[in-house]
Structure formats: structure tokens, C-alpha cells
Amino acid sequence: MGDLIKNIVKKSPWIYRINAGSCNGCDVEMATTALIPRYDVERLGCKYCGSPKHADIVLISGPITAVVKEKVLRVYDEIPDPKVVVAVGICPISGGVFRDSYAIEMPLDGYIPVDVNVPGCPPRPQAIIDGVAKAIEIWKTKL
Amino acid sequence: MGTFLKIALKNLLKGPSTDKYPFGETFVPEKLRGKIKHDPEKCIACHMCEHVCAGGAIRLREAKDGSGADFVVWHNSCAFCGLCEHYCPTGAIHLTNDYHTAHLEKDKFSYVERTFVKYKPCSVCGQPFIPLIPQLEEVVYGEHGDKKGLSTMCEKCRRKAVWKDGVFK
């Protein structure tokens, strides 16, 4: 029974999105990869969910501002294991154009174990789909 | 009702509008700004790209032995804004339309474009110096070109050679 459920679950990872002080550029691109029929990420079996408690793959955008850092960590803790983290955009990966600012607590991998990086400002929807595909491969091995 | 049926039938024949990527090919615009490509043959190590880089992704440092300059772009900090290409006086930097940027965490710090700009030895004293590329020769020496062979000399030898004959001759 457990194996059966594992095999079924492998086919449909749910995606959750955290905006850690992003300018919304990456968020718009993430929304277009999933929500519009043109780039349909649901072909990979993914589905955006509204609650962190249902999520398997987390997409995080933004440079982790000082105000939002604690909230991001709190939401991250609510996501059940196993989880895969994808850093979308250059901000969570390296701070990007905001690097060395007093207001941000980058990089993301200083606080959270990141699995896949998708740099870009913002990345193309196809690049985000690439990242999600890589994350699914990692998630399958973690189950 | 007739118009509606016509549109519905047309859309049915057209097939899905979903982009086939990642299972098939996708449309890539020619001018898409993606990963950076650097041509060390054209580079004159003027540091302009490093100066204008918004994300601080470009680093150009002289090698320890003085034989050339290391050019590094860290794509994880690059905003793909294209300022480096715009301000490059010789066209050495080009933003290709390669958008495949997703990579695993273990490749984070090795996700770079790295080239080596080799200096040429001076024709007089042999000291390595940043060579002038042919495209800039006309800009620097006018339409008659480099008659005195100044472009093959380092700064010091160039100054000496110019002073020998007098500046205004």
C-alpha cells in the first residue's frame, strides 16, 4: 500500500510559491508558467497550491529582505518533508543588484538548503519549467 | 450561433496553443538576452563592462604573472541587462540567446563564463602589454593607420618613440 501511494504521489508534486521581497518580476513569470495555457506547467503533473502544508516543491523569489526573513523561515518550516527548494531569479541566489544592501539578508542558501537555482532577471518561463523539471527529478529521489 | 460554431471549429482544427517545451522545441527570439559570451581576441581589458555591470557579475583582474587578464562573469549575479554589450567599445561581449540557466546547487559557484585575455610582448622591450585590436587602430591613428609601429609597443616605449621625433611632426 505504501509503495502504491509513493508511486502515485511521484506523478503529482504540488508547487508552492514564496515571495521573499521580490519585485514581482519573477512572480509574474512563475505565474505565467503555471496559470496560462501557453506554458502549462501542469503537463509535468504540477499544481500550484495555496497552503504550505500541501506543498512538495517550493519556488522562492526575492532577495530575503530583513523584514520578511523570519516569515519566510516560518512558512518554510510548515512545509512537510520531503521538500525541494528552487531559487528563482538572481536575488535569492546571490542578491543580484541588491547585493551588499543593509536591508536584505541574502543569500537564501545561508538559511535554507536550496536544490535548484534558476538565475535570470527574471528568468524565461521555459527556464523556470527547466528548473521545475530538475526539482521533480530530485523530489523523486527524496521520496 | 453560426459565428460561434465557425470559431469553435477553427480552434478545434488549429490544435493546442501550448508551447511544446520541455518536450519539444520552443520559439527563441534572435535578440533575447541570455548567457554572456566573451571574445578574448577582441577584448582590450578597459574595465568598462566591470564598471557598468548592474549586478556586479563581471570581474576583470590582471593575472599574477602579468601575462594577461582573467575575465569572469558569474551568471548567478548577472541581470542580463545588456549594459556590458552596449558599452563595450570593441564588441567583445555578446549576450547570446541561450536562456537555459537552470542548474543544481552544487554548480552554483562554477556557473561562470571564464576567458583569458592574453597580453602581447612589446616589440622594443618585451614587456607584456594590452594589445590594440585592428578595429580600434583607425580610431586611434587616423585613416593613414599606424605608420610608426606604435601599436606594437608598450606605453613607455611608445612615449619614448613619439618624443624622439617630436610630438608635432
Side-chain angles (χ1 to χ4, degrees), chain B:
Chain B
M1 191 67 187
T3 342
F4 165 73
L5 276 178
K6 221 184 199 170
I7 293 168
L9 202 68
K10 218 187 250 173
N11 283 342
L12 204 66
L13 293 175
K14 247 193 239 167
S17 71
T18 308
D19 204 59
K20 286 196 179 63
Y21 197 80
F23 306 109
E25 288 298 305
T26 183
F27 167 69
V28 186
E30 199 55 47
K31 287 190 174 178
L32 183 96
R33 297 196 303 266
K35 281 192 211 162
I36 287 174
K37 189 114 185 61
H38 181 248
D39 182 4
E41 297 296 314
K42 287 183 184 171
C43 184
I44 52 167
C46 67
H47 290 254
M48 184 50 98
C49 48
E50 193 182 9
H51 178 68
V52 296
C53 183
I58 295 175
R59 198 184 67 181
L60 191 64
R61 292 280 179 277
E62 196 165 79
K64 273 180 191 159
D65 56 353
S67 64
D70 269 317
F71 177 91
V72 181
V73 184
W74 188 30
H75 282 122
N76 275 333
S77 191
C78 172
F80 303 108
C81 60
L83 279 181
C84 48
E85 184 179 355
H86 180 79
Y87 282 104
C88 183
T90 60
I93 292 185
H94 177 58
L95 272 75
T96 58
N97 61 359
D98 180 8
Y99 60 89
H100 300 279
T101 50
H103 59 279
L104 300 180
E105 174 69 10
K106 67 172 195 289
D107 304 326
K108 181 179 174 181
F109 294 106
S110 56
Y111 203 64
V112 292
E113 155 90 5
R114 188 189 290 271
T115 56
F116 189 70
V117 184
K118 213 167 165 7
Y119 291 175
K120 266 186 203 160
C122 170
S123 60
V124 179
C125 67
Q127 179 79 18
F129 77 107
I130 304 163
L132 189 72
I133 64 159
Q135 289 105 302
L136 279 185
E137 216 159 87
E138 204 187 312
V139 180
V140 177
Y141 297 107
E143 57 185 45
H144 300 300
D146 177 24
K147 279 182 182 168
K148 291 177 181 172
L150 293 176
S151 62
T152 58
M153 298 178 199
C154 70
E155 293 98 318
K156 279 181 185 169
C157 299
R158 205 181 304 151
R159 207 175 298 154
K160 275 180 200 163
V162 170
W163 269 106
K164 207 168 70 184
D165 302 337
V167 181
F168 301 108
K169 279 179 188 171

